[in-house]
């Protein structure tokens, strides 16, 4: 571990959950690190850097233009603000007061999810009124058309493993329906892969994270139509000012996008497949543990390994196993969004074989040390786990917010 970790008493983290910001987002390649190192000691005209970023974003996504902001959550607020103000600087300065502006933002109810905060809150930060349509598991075109009949500033579409994965309007139909009414479509695709396809489907703007699929520094990337992106750029003189990206975030994001464009997808897929097979081999035969592969719910080209936990045999339920893995000098993180359904998810995209062996050893040790009383414990709601962690911080012994 580096001297920085030792100096501040930071634990080593083995992250087999994904690229959540609560675990440091992503490991950056030497090329991304070098880009950040090159720009940090220097002055740069931010407008010029954003212009260069726009060219990079356009080349990678097929969009007309792009801009970089603090994170993808910020991108939602900035896009919603841009939809309400356009390129009217007086309106930009007026927000979040929306007097005299269209302020309604349409959102399918099955897309109103919590990614660490509610999606709708990112729109409300800009002063928008979020109008949910449909039900949690069903939304139809006629409901979208009815909602678009009023004064609507924008429609927000979320692509994520958090959302309801069936019963929603598909992106192309959603975009076509909104375009008939002249309503811009903002796509929140923070962790997703196929940005050109979203642009091609008719989105006005697509938001994604530099640090997730692209494995760059923490930043939000907005790609879309040039006039709309310029309106996003205007928000730096308004609500977007508190969400701005620094030169290091921009340089890192640009390097990550260039790296993404040049990547050998087939080689990446082979490496992920090999690590999945290794994980299955290392975890096979553990009493109370059943392994199953899960394709990524939104359809990205990778699989995760599901660890189904039978507490009557394993001695721990899935939530308790996740907590046991996170304890100690080395924190092992598996995705724990579905522990109430009895399983953890292992994501191999950002770990190596040595870390896989460490994970398998800790799983075996945790289950071997389970007590008879552990197996009957209830699984707490994720929101309650997060609330306890927030209330206990900054004590070093505080529980942690799981991924």
């Amino acid at each position: 571990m580096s001297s920085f970790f030792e100096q501040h008493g930071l634990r080593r983290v083995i992250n087999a959950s994904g690229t959540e910001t609560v675990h440091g987002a992503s490991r950056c390649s030497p090329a991304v690190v070098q880009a950040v190192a090159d720009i940090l000691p220097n002055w740069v005209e931010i407008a010029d850097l954003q212009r260069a970023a726009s060219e990079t974003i356009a080349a990678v996504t097929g969009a007309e233009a792009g801009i970089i902001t603090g994170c993808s959550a910020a991108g939602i607020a900035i896009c919603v603000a841009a939809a309400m103000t356009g390129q009217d600087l007086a309106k930009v300065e007026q927000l979040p007061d929306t007097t005299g502006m269209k302020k309604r933002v349409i959102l399918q109810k099955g897309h109103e999810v919590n990614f660490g905060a509610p999606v709708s809150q990112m729109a409300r930060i800009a002063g928008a009124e979020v109008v949910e349509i449909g039900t949690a598991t069903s939304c139809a075109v006629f409901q979208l058309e009815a909602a678009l009949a009023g004064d609507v500033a924008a429609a927000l579409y979320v692509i994520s493993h958090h959302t309801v994965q069936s019963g929603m309007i598909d992106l192309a139909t959603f975009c076509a329906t909104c375009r008939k009414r002249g309503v811009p479509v903002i796509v929140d695709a923070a962790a997703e892969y196929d940005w050109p396809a979203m642009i091609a489907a008719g989105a006005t703007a697509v938001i994604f994270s530099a640090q997730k699929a692209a494995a760059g520094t923490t930043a939000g990337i907005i790609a879309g139509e040039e006039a709309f992106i310029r309106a996003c750029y205007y928000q730096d003189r308004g609500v977007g000012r508190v969400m701005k990206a620094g030169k290091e975030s921009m340089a890192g994001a640009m390097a990550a996008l260039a790296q993404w464009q040049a990547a050998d997808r087939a080689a990446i897929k082979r490496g992920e497949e090999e690590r999945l097979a290794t994980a299955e081999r290392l975890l096979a035969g553990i009493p109370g543990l059943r392994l199953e592969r899960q394709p990524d719910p939104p359809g990205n080209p990778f699989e995760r390994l599901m660890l189904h936990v039978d507490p009557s045999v394993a001695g721990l339920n899935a939530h308790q196993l996740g907590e046991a893995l996170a304890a100690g000098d080395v924190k092992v993180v598996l995705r724990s969004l579905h522990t109430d359904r009895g399983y953890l998810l292992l994501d191999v995209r950002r770990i190596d074989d040595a870390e896989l062996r460490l994970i398998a050893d800790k799983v075996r040790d945790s289950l071997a040390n389970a007590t008879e009383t552990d197996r009957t414990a209830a699984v707490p709601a994720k929101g309650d786990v997060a609330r306890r962690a927030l209330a206990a911080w900054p004590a070093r012994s505080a529980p942690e917010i799981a991924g």
Side-chain angles (χ1 to χ4, degrees), residues 128-299:
E129 174 190 339
V130 176
V131 178
E132 295 181 11
I133 59 172
T135 64
T137 58
S138 176
C139 191
V141 172
F142 77 86
Q143 293 166 321
L144 175 58
E145 289 174 333
L148 293 171
D151 287 338
V152 177
L156 178 60
Y157 194 98
V158 182
I159 303 176
S160 168
H161 63 275
H162 289 291
T163 65
V164 175
Q165 298 299 314
S166 64
M168 300 294 104
I169 305 170
D170 68 272
L171 178 59
T173 301
F174 191 91
C175 290
T177 305
C178 291
R179 282 188 177 276
K180 287 179 183 177
R181 298 279 187 171
V183 173
V185 175
I186 301 162
V187 177
D188 169 26
E192 308 313 307
Y193 281 52
D194 198 355
W195 319 305
M198 299 170 201
I199 296 293
T204 309
V206 174
I207 305 156
F208 57 98
S209 297
Q211 74 273 18
K212 292 187 182 292
T217 46
T218 299
I221 299 170
I222 309 173
E225 297 175 3
E226 183 174 331
F228 190 87
I229 296 300
R230 187 178 298 112
C232 290
Y233 183 63
Y234 270 55
Q235 305 311 312
D236 192 51
R237 299 293 297 271
V239 295
R241 189 68 180 176
V242 299
M243 308 169 190
K244 63 188 179 184
K247 60 186 179 183
E248 65 283 0
S249 294
M250 295 185 198
M254 292 164 68
L257 285 175
Q259 178 177 267
W260 172 267
Q261 189 175 40
D264 183 339
R265 299 278 182 270
I268 292 172
K269 181 67 176 175
R270 285 195 301 272
E272 291 171 353
E273 175 61 33
E274 290 169 1
R275 289 193 297 280
L276 267 174
T278 298
E280 288 172 324
R281 176 175 55 81
L282 291 172
L283 293 168
I286 298 177
L289 206 62
R290 179 172 62 86
L291 307 178
E292 178 186 3
R293 292 194 183 191
Q294 181 200 64
D296 183 55

Side-chain angles (χ1 to χ4, degrees), residues 88-135:
D88 185 330
L89 190 54
K91 289 182 178 178
V92 170
E93 293 182 345
Q94 181 181 318
L95 291 181
D97 176 1
T98 57
T99 302
M101 304 181 206
K102 293 180 179 179
K103 66 176 183 178
R104 295 172 70 234
V105 174
I106 307 303
L107 177 68
Q108 296 179 89
K109 190 178 290 290
H111 287 188
E112 167 60 319
V113 295
N114 190 309
F115 60 91
V119 163
S120 64
Q121 187 174 39
M122 302 305 102
R124 289 184 280 113
I125 284 171
E129 174 190 339
V130 176
V131 178
E132 295 181 11
I133 59 172
T135 64

Side-chain angles (χ1 to χ4, degrees), residues 1 5 12-16 18-21 23-33 210-218 252 256 259 275 330-331 347-356 358-359:
M1 297 296 284
F5 275 73
R12 179 187 176 194
V13 175
I14 305 299
N15 181 12
T19 51
E20 299 95 343
T21 51
H23 302 127
S26 186
R27 284 172 161 165
C28 292
S29 71
V32 172
V33 173
Q211 74 273 18
K212 292 187 182 292
T217 46
T218 299
Q259 178 177 267
R275 289 193 297 280
V330 177
K331 178 178 181 178
D347 189 326
V348 302
R349 288 176 296 163
R350 301 289 192 269
I351 56 177
D352 57 31
D353 285 351
E355 290 170 328
L356 275 176
L358 189 152
I359 291 169

